[in-house]
């Protein structure tokens, strides 16, 4: 299915609400639309004949998600999926960010020096640091983590050197919809764990909930 066909299918469901969940979520949150009144789509992923479509919601980080059978061109399920952000962080009280950057060939997403003013908080940094971010597009945690670890493996020597000379970790931030209080959680595969050990890295999870609860 083309993105236009998918958007039309979703918009038709949002208007007619043939699924009970559509009516339920519509009472709580508003999907975002483009200037031409077409539904906004943040990402579309495919798995065999199923496509997962992520629609952003007004003032929320999590997504309204549609599961579509591309062969039958019909919606097979609707839910909310969390926003998932993954990044590698290396910090040091002794080295500056330029020294940290030189240790890796990977693109740096953000960097700062000890004493720099924090952007979103008051005060200044007590350490220098660098960040390498994953793709920000929404997707399942397992796929995002697998892709990010593969990215870090492209400069295995640099990441290991950073882990030996600085404080390093992979930070995972997950923002769930607090619809019914049942959040689930991330899953690390055996391959993920092997890759983390090979890169000498740990993982730190920050889990959040937001949004309105379903009306009972």
């Amino acid at each position: 299915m083309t993105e236009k066909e998918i958007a039309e299918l979703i918009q038709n469901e949002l208007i007619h609400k043939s699924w009970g969940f559509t009516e339920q979520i519509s009472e709580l949150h508003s999907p975002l639309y483009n200037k031409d009144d077409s539904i906004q789509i943040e990402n579309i992923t495919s798995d065999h004949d199923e496509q997962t479509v992520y629609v952003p919601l007004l003032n929320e980080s999590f997504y309204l998600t549609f599961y579509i059978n591309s062969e039958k061109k019909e919606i097979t399920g609707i839910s909310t999926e969390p926003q998932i952000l993954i990044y590698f962080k290396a910090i040091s009280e002794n080295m500056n960010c330029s020294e940290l950057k030189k240790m890796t060939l990977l693109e740096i997403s953000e960097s700062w020096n000890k004493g720099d003013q924090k952007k979103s908080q008051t005060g200044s940094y007590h350490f220098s640091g660098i960040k390498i971010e994953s793709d920000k597009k929404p997707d399942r945690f397992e796929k995002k983590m697998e892709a990010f670890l593969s990215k870090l493996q492209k400069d295995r020597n640099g990441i290991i050197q950073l882990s030996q000379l600085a404080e390093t970790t992979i930070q995972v931030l997950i923002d769930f919809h607090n619809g019914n209080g049942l959040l689930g959680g991330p899953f690390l595969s055996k391959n993920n764990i092997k890759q983390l050990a090979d890169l000498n890295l740990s993982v730190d999870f920050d889990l959040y909930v937001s949004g309105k609860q379903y009306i009972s």
Side-chain angles (χ1 to χ4, degrees):
M1 293 181 68
T2 66
E3 184 168 333
K4 182 180 179 181
E5 289 176 321
I6 290 171
E8 290 174 350
L9 183 63
I10 290 173
Q11 286 180 235
N12 184 64
E13 171 58 28
L14 291 172
I15 293 170
H16 296 99
K17 299 179 177 61
S18 58
W19 286 72
F21 184 82
T22 309
E23 186 169 357
Q24 191 177 32
I25 196 70
S26 296
E27 293 175 350
L28 305 176
H29 298 288
S30 301
L32 293 181
Y33 288 82
N34 297 308
K35 290 182 179 180
D36 63 357
D37 293 328
S38 62
I39 193 72
Q40 283 192 28
I41 293 176
E42 194 75 15
N43 196 24
I44 301 173
T45 64
S46 298
D47 186 9
H48 301 295
D49 60 350
E50 183 180 80
Q51 292 177 293
T52 304
V53 186
Y54 296 84
V55 174
L57 295 164
L58 180 65
N59 298 325
E60 300 296 349
S61 298
F62 57 88
Y63 299 92
L64 176 60
T65 310
F66 294 83
Y67 306 96
I68 296 173
N69 185 304
S70 55
E71 185 176 338
K72 296 180 179 179
K73 297 188 177 183
E74 63 181 23
I75 295 171
T76 58
I78 308 173
S79 69
T80 58
E81 293 290 343
Q83 178 192 61
I84 301 171
L85 302 176
I86 305 175
Y87 61 85
F88 165 87
K89 180 172 68 174
I91 59 175
S92 174
E93 293 184 2
N94 304 314
M95 294 181 285
N96 59 39
C97 67
S98 295
E99 292 172 306
L100 294 171
K101 286 179 181 179
K102 288 179 182 178
M103 294 186 203
T104 179
L105 302 173
L106 298 174
E107 182 180 354
I108 305 301
S109 306
E110 183 183 350
S111 64
W112 63 91
N113 278 313
K114 184 177 179 179
D116 286 351
Q117 190 72 25
K118 294 181 179 180
K119 293 180 180 179
S120 57
Q121 305 173 41
T122 57
S124 56
Y125 288 104
H126 299 294
F127 46 78
S128 300
I130 59 172
K131 283 185 182 180
I132 299 171
E133 295 180 344
S134 68
D135 187 341
K136 291 185 177 181
K137 288 185 177 181
D139 204 342
R140 292 186 296 107
F141 169 77
E142 292 80 5
K143 288 179 65 178
K144 288 179 72 74
M145 178 60 83
E146 189 72 34
F148 188 57
L149 289 175
S150 295
K151 175 181 178 178
L152 296 183
Q153 285 281 359
K154 292 178 180 178
D155 186 23
R156 177 179 177 273
N157 291 339
I159 295 299
I160 290 176
Q161 185 181 20
L162 281 166
S163 73
Q164 293 170 339
L165 299 177
E167 183 179 338
T168 58
T169 189
I170 290 180
Q171 191 80 39
V172 180
L173 289 79
I174 305 180
D175 189 346
F176 295 92
H177 176 214
N178 189 25
N180 58 10
L182 300 176
L183 304 179
F187 168 79
L188 289 172
S189 68
K190 291 180 181 179
N191 189 50
N192 291 159
I193 294 170
K194 287 179 181 178
Q195 287 179 303
L196 287 165
D198 184 57
L199 292 167
N200 197 31
L201 293 176
S202 61
V203 184
D204 183 22
F205 291 94
D206 286 334
L207 308 181
Y208 303 91
V209 294
S210 58
K212 301 174 183 178
Q213 289 192 318
Y214 299 129
I215 300 170
S216 56

